[in-house]
């Protein structure tokens, strides 16, 4: 057996019926695991581990008002929208059309791994194990980055729910959780100045995808998450530069994203390919298409 056939993360021209059913079962199970744990720990806290470490997701966010603390409402709405969009990915995986199934199965291994890592992150985060949670985020960042660059063959609904949405969140979460780890021991003026510089990495990251891949979904997603950061910082520390920088970054990303997305809507020079059926996973194309 070729090594690529044994590697679930390798690109395959097609997937067997058994492999597709494996993807279907594991995708549904791990997705439900992520959704249920995220919803539960949004409102409830764990009953195990050390008591003074335990809290809800947003309880920890409030307890650690770092320069990257987020707004609970905006971020929760982001995740609600992402979970709904992931249902569209599941629809492709369970579709009666073979080309839809093969396209969805092409990202199945990475998406399942993402679900498991996101579940692990939530479980560690609510129990106060922030350093280990950061390790999980780093692993998932590489997982989703590999998915983005190696499997750029999916239609838009698959791309948003399984690729760009989780990747944008994981990138911002690295800042969010990493600031909690860092501020445990270095809550100083120098740390806040460093945060004022580091926040511009979000702008650079977003502009990279807009300039190189014309990926307006990453632009919109990072705009929303940066807005959450801006609101969170404004409500946490009004007399500071961080919320101003966040809103500037949000504005630049949003305008740049519109510059990519709107010409495509009206058929101008930045148009992605016109609507067409999903193509097989082995065909090279841009990561975003105008198909469903």
């Amino acid at each position: 057996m070729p090594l690529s056939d044994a590697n679930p993360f390798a690109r395959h021209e097609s997937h067997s019926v058994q492999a597709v059913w494996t993807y279907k079962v594991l995708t549904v199970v791990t997705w439900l695991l992520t959704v249920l744990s995220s919803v539960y720990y949004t409102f409830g806290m764990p009953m195990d581990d050390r008591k003074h470490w335990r809290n809800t997701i947003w309880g920890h966010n409030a307890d650690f008002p770092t320069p990257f603390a987020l707004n609970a409402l905006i971020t929760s709405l982001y995740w609600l929208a992402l979970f709904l969009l992931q249902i569209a990915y599941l629809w492709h995986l369970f579709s009666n059309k073979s080309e839809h199934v093969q396209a969805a199965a092409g990202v199945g291994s990475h998406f399942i791994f993402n679900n498991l890592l996101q579940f692990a992150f939530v479980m560690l985060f609510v129990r106060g194990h922030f350093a280990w949670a950061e390790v999980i985020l780093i692993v998932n960042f590489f997982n989703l980055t590999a998915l983005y660059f190696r499997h750029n063959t999916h239609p838009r609904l698959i791309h948003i729910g399984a690729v760009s949405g989780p990747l944008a969140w994981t990138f911002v979460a690295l800042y969010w959780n990493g600031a909690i780890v860092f501020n445990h021991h270095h809550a100083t003026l120098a740390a806040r100045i460093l945060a004022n510089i580091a926040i511009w990495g979000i702008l650079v990251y977003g502009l990279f995808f807009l300039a190189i891949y014309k990926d307006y979904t990453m632009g919109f997603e990072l705009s929303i998450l940066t807005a959450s950061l801006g609101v969170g910082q404004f409500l946490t520390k009004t007399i500071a530069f961080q919320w101003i920088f966040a809103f500037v970054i949000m504005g630049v990303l949003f305008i740049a994203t519109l510059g990519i997305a709107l010409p495509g809507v009206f058929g101008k020079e930045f148009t992605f390919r016109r609507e067409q059926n999903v193509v097989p996973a082995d065909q090279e194309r841009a990561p975003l298409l105008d198909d469903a």
Side-chain angles (χ1 to χ4, degrees), residues 3 12 127-128 139 153 160 162 167 210 224 245 248 266 275 280:
L3 182 61
H12 299 281
R127 289 166 174 79
V139 173
T153 58
I160 297 173
L167 178 58
L210 288 171
I224 294 170
F245 292 161
V248 169
F266 295 104
E275 293 196 5

Side-chain angles (χ1 to χ4, degrees), residues 210 219-220 223-224 248-260:
L210 288 171
F220 278 128
S223 296
I224 294 170
V248 169
I249 292 169
M250 178 203 71
V252 173
L253 283 176
F254 186 74
I255 293 172
T257 299
L258 289 180
I260 297 296

Side-chain angles (χ1 to χ4, degrees), residues 32-178:
L32 287 175
L33 195 65
T34 302
V35 172
L36 294 177
S37 62
S38 299
V39 172
Y40 177 81
Y41 288 118
T42 296
F43 304 101
M45 65 176 64
M47 303 308 295
D48 57 315
D49 219 312
R50 299 187 181 184
K51 185 175 182 180
H52 65 282
W53 288 3
R54 305 184 319 227
N55 211 330
T56 64
I57 294 173
W58 300 117
H60 276 316
N61 184 72
D63 286 347
F64 297 95
T66 73
F68 288 98
L70 301 170
N71 178 261
L73 177 60
I74 296 176
T75 310
S76 295
L77 290 175
Y78 176 90
W79 267 103
L80 177 61
L82 183 57
F83 286 145
L84 292 176
L85 287 167
Q86 287 173 348
I87 294 177
Y89 166 72
L90 293 174
W91 176 83
H92 279 80
L93 189 59
F94 284 86
S95 173
N96 292 324
K97 297 182 178 180
S98 176
E99 60 268 27
H100 286 174
V101 174
Q102 293 298 327
V107 304
S109 297
H110 288 277
F111 183 67
I112 291 167
F113 194 34
N114 163 72
N115 290 337
L116 292 173
L117 291 172
Q118 177 62 21
F119 170 72
F121 166 74
V122 170
M123 299 296 283
L124 290 167
F125 184 84
V126 296
R127 289 166 174 79
H129 299 289
F130 304 117
W132 284 111
E134 190 73 2
V135 173
I136 294 296
L137 287 173
I138 292 171
V139 173
N140 202 20
F141 178 73
F142 282 108
N143 167 54
L144 292 170
T145 300
L147 171 60
Y148 193 103
F149 293 128
R150 294 175 57 202
H151 297 266
N152 54 356
T153 58
H154 8 277
R156 183 164 46 188
L157 287 179
I158 292 178
H159 181 78
I160 297 173
V163 188
S164 67
L167 178 58
W169 158 254
T170 302
F171 182 75
V172 173
L174 284 168
Y175 282 87
W176 176 47
N177 182 75

Side-chain angles (χ1 to χ4, degrees), residues 266-284:
F266 295 104
K268 303 299 181 182
E269 59 180 352
F270 289 116
T271 297
F272 298 116
R273 298 183 188 183
R274 296 187 180 278
E275 293 196 5
Q276 54 185 291
N277 293 329
V278 180
V279 300
D282 62 333
Q283 181 176 331
E284 291 288 343

